[in-house]
Amino acid sequence: MKLLIIDDEELIRLKLMHIVSHASLPLQVVETVSNVFEALHSFEKEIPAVILSDIRMPVKSGLDLAKYVYEHNLPSKVILITGFSDFEYAKAGIAYHVFDYLLKPVDEEDTVSVVRRALHEYMEEQKHHELYESFQNY
Protein backbone atom coordinates (compact mmCIF):
# COMPACT_ATOMS: atom_id res chain seq x y z
CA MET A 1 0.00 0.00 0.00
CA LYS A 2 1.07 3.52 -0.73
CA LEU A 3 0.91 6.66 1.40
CA LEU A 4 1.34 10.00 -0.36
CA ILE A 5 2.47 13.15 1.46
CA ILE A 6 1.77 16.50 -0.22
CA ASP A 7 3.10 19.72 1.27
CA ASP A 8 4.81 22.75 -0.23
CA GLU A 9 7.10 22.98 2.82
CA GLU A 10 10.00 20.54 2.63
CA LEU A 11 10.54 20.40 6.41
CA ILE A 12 6.96 19.29 6.97
CA ARG A 13 7.24 16.64 4.23
CA LEU A 14 10.41 15.32 5.86
CA LYS A 15 8.86 15.29 9.33
CA LEU A 16 5.77 13.43 8.11
CA MET A 17 7.94 10.98 6.17
CA HIS A 18 9.97 10.32 9.32
CA ILE A 19 6.84 9.83 11.43
CA VAL A 20 5.12 7.33 9.12
CA SER A 21 8.33 5.52 8.18
CA HIS A 22 9.08 4.74 11.83
CA ALA A 23 5.55 3.81 12.89
CA SER A 24 5.40 0.15 11.77
CA LEU A 25 2.42 0.76 9.51
CA PRO A 26 1.50 -1.70 6.73
CA LEU A 27 2.90 0.49 3.94
CA GLN A 28 5.10 -0.57 1.04
CA VAL A 29 5.61 2.92 -0.39
CA VAL A 30 5.76 6.36 1.22
CA GLU A 31 6.10 9.08 -1.38
CA THR A 32 6.38 12.84 -0.95
CA VAL A 33 5.53 15.57 -3.44
CA SER A 34 5.39 19.35 -3.15
CA ASN A 35 2.14 20.14 -4.96
CA VAL A 36 -1.15 18.77 -6.26
CA PHE A 37 0.10 18.50 -9.87
CA GLU A 38 2.93 16.18 -8.76
CA ALA A 39 0.40 14.21 -6.71
CA LEU A 40 -1.86 13.68 -9.72
CA HIS A 41 1.15 12.55 -11.74
CA SER A 42 1.96 10.08 -8.94
CA PHE A 43 -1.57 8.63 -9.26
CA GLU A 44 -0.59 7.35 -12.71
CA LYS A 45 1.84 4.89 -11.06
CA GLU A 46 -0.31 3.84 -8.12
CA ILE A 47 -3.38 5.22 -6.38
CA PRO A 48 -2.43 5.81 -2.74
CA ALA A 49 -4.36 4.21 0.09
CA VAL A 50 -3.86 7.31 2.24
CA ILE A 51 -3.06 10.89 1.30
CA LEU A 52 -1.67 13.37 3.84
CA SER A 53 -2.04 16.80 2.26
CA ASP A 54 -1.49 20.36 3.36
CA ILE A 55 -4.72 22.26 2.92
CA ARG A 56 -3.15 25.56 1.79
CA MET A 57 -0.65 25.42 -1.05
CA PRO A 58 0.05 27.68 -4.02
CA VAL A 59 -2.16 27.23 -7.11
CA LYS A 60 -4.08 24.08 -6.04
CA SER A 61 -5.06 23.33 -2.44
CA GLY A 62 -5.54 20.16 -0.48
CA LEU A 63 -9.27 20.71 -0.89
CA ASP A 64 -8.81 20.71 -4.67
CA LEU A 65 -7.10 17.35 -4.31
CA ALA A 66 -9.87 16.04 -2.02
CA LYS A 67 -12.43 17.16 -4.60
CA TYR A 68 -10.51 15.30 -7.34
CA VAL A 69 -10.37 12.10 -5.25
CA TYR A 70 -14.09 12.39 -4.48
CA GLU A 71 -15.20 13.21 -8.04
CA HIS A 72 -13.11 10.38 -9.52
CA ASN A 73 -14.41 7.93 -6.90
CA LEU A 74 -10.90 6.96 -5.82
CA PRO A 75 -10.61 4.75 -2.73
CA SER A 76 -7.91 6.95 -1.14
CA LYS A 77 -8.43 8.27 2.37
CA VAL A 78 -7.59 11.99 2.42
CA ILE A 79 -6.22 13.54 5.61
CA LEU A 80 -5.81 17.30 5.44
CA ILE A 81 -3.15 19.15 7.40
CA THR A 82 -3.85 22.71 8.38
CA GLY A 83 -2.64 25.46 10.62
CA PHE A 84 -6.04 27.08 10.41
CA SER A 85 -9.15 26.13 12.36
CA ASP A 86 -11.54 27.67 9.86
CA PHE A 87 -15.03 26.14 9.68
CA GLU A 88 -15.28 26.76 5.93
CA TYR A 89 -12.43 24.31 5.38
CA ALA A 90 -14.12 21.72 7.55
CA LYS A 91 -17.40 22.21 5.72
CA ALA A 92 -15.75 21.80 2.30
CA GLY A 93 -13.85 18.76 3.56
CA ILE A 94 -17.10 17.13 4.66
CA ALA A 95 -18.55 17.64 1.17
CA TYR A 96 -15.56 15.77 -0.33
CA HIS A 97 -15.56 13.01 2.31
CA VAL A 98 -12.21 13.98 3.82
CA PHE A 99 -11.25 11.28 6.31
CA ASP A 100 -9.79 13.58 9.01
CA TYR A 101 -7.71 16.66 9.78
CA LEU A 102 -4.37 17.17 11.48
CA LEU A 103 -3.40 20.52 12.95
CA LYS A 104 0.04 22.07 12.50
CA PRO A 105 2.42 21.64 14.12
CA VAL A 106 1.77 17.94 13.53
CA ASP A 107 1.90 15.70 16.56
CA GLU A 108 3.56 12.32 16.07
CA GLU A 109 1.01 10.31 18.07
CA ASP A 110 -1.97 12.01 16.45
CA THR A 111 -0.50 11.50 12.99
CA VAL A 112 0.17 7.79 13.51
CA SER A 113 -3.28 7.29 15.06
CA VAL A 114 -5.11 9.01 12.19
CA VAL A 115 -3.07 7.23 9.51
CA ARG A 116 -3.60 3.88 11.24
CA ARG A 117 -7.39 4.45 11.34
CA ALA A 118 -7.40 5.53 7.68
CA LEU A 119 -5.43 2.44 6.64
CA HIS A 120 -7.79 0.21 8.61
CA GLU A 121 -10.84 1.74 6.94
CA TYR A 122 -9.18 1.53 3.51
CA MET A 123 -8.36 -2.18 4.00
CA GLU A 124 -11.89 -2.95 5.22
CA GLU A 125 -13.39 -1.22 2.18
CA GLN A 126 -11.04 -3.14 -0.12
CA LYS A 127 -12.11 -6.43 1.49
CA HIS A 128 -15.78 -5.54 1.00
CA HIS A 129 -15.10 -4.57 -2.60
CA GLU A 130 -13.29 -7.86 -3.28
CA LEU A 131 -16.11 -9.87 -1.70
CA TYR A 132 -18.64 -7.99 -3.79
CA GLU A 133 -16.61 -8.66 -6.96
CA SER A 134 -16.36 -12.35 -6.06
CA PHE A 135 -20.11 -12.50 -5.47
CA GLN A 136 -20.78 -10.77 -8.80
CA ASN A 137 -18.51 -13.22 -10.63
CA TYR A 138 -20.15 -16.18 -8.95
Side-chain angles (χ1 to χ4, degrees), residues 5 12-20 52 81 106 111:
I5 298 168
I12 293 176
R13 287 195 311 269
L14 292 173
K15 180 177 183 178
L16 289 168
M17 172 72 102
H18 176 79
I19 289 170
V20 297
L52 284 171
I81 304 164
V106 291
T111 302

Side-chain angles (χ1 to χ4, degrees), residues 9-77:
E9 296 179 47
E10 184 177 13
L11 288 176
I12 293 176
R13 287 195 311 269
L14 292 173
K15 180 177 183 178
L16 289 168
M17 172 72 102
H18 176 79
I19 289 170
V20 297
S21 296
H22 292 87
S24 66
L25 296 166
L27 297 167
Q28 286 82 37
V29 178
V30 179
E31 183 178 353
T32 65
V33 296
S34 63
N35 61 59
V36 173
F37 299 110
E38 291 176 4
L40 295 177
H41 181 69
S42 169
F43 287 7
E44 294 172 8
K45 293 178 244 163
E46 181 182 358
I47 300 295
V50 176
I51 300 168
L52 284 171
S53 178
D54 190 8
I55 201 165
R56 283 210 181 175
M57 294 179 284
V59 186
K60 293 277 186 186
S61 71
L63 285 175
D64 292 324
L65 180 71
K67 180 180 179 184
Y68 179 91
V69 168
Y70 175 75
E71 288 178 345
H72 289 84
N73 201 30
L74 300 178
S76 305
K77 300 298 171 195

Side-chain angles (χ1 to χ4, degrees), residues 95-135:
Y96 302 133
H97 298 199
V98 167
F99 182 78
D100 209 339
Y101 288 85
L102 290 170
L103 293 175
K104 288 181 184 179
V106 291
D107 176 77
E108 187 170 338
E109 284 183 35
D110 290 343
T111 302
V112 171
S113 174
V114 169
V115 170
R116 193 177 306 283
R117 285 189 301 107
L119 284 168
H120 177 74
E121 187 170 305
Y122 174 86
M123 289 187 289
E124 288 297 312
E125 287 177 2
Q126 293 306 303
K127 277 191 225 174
H128 289 295
H129 180 72
E130 288 170 12
L131 286 172
Y132 178 78
E133 290 293 317
S134 294
F135 180 73

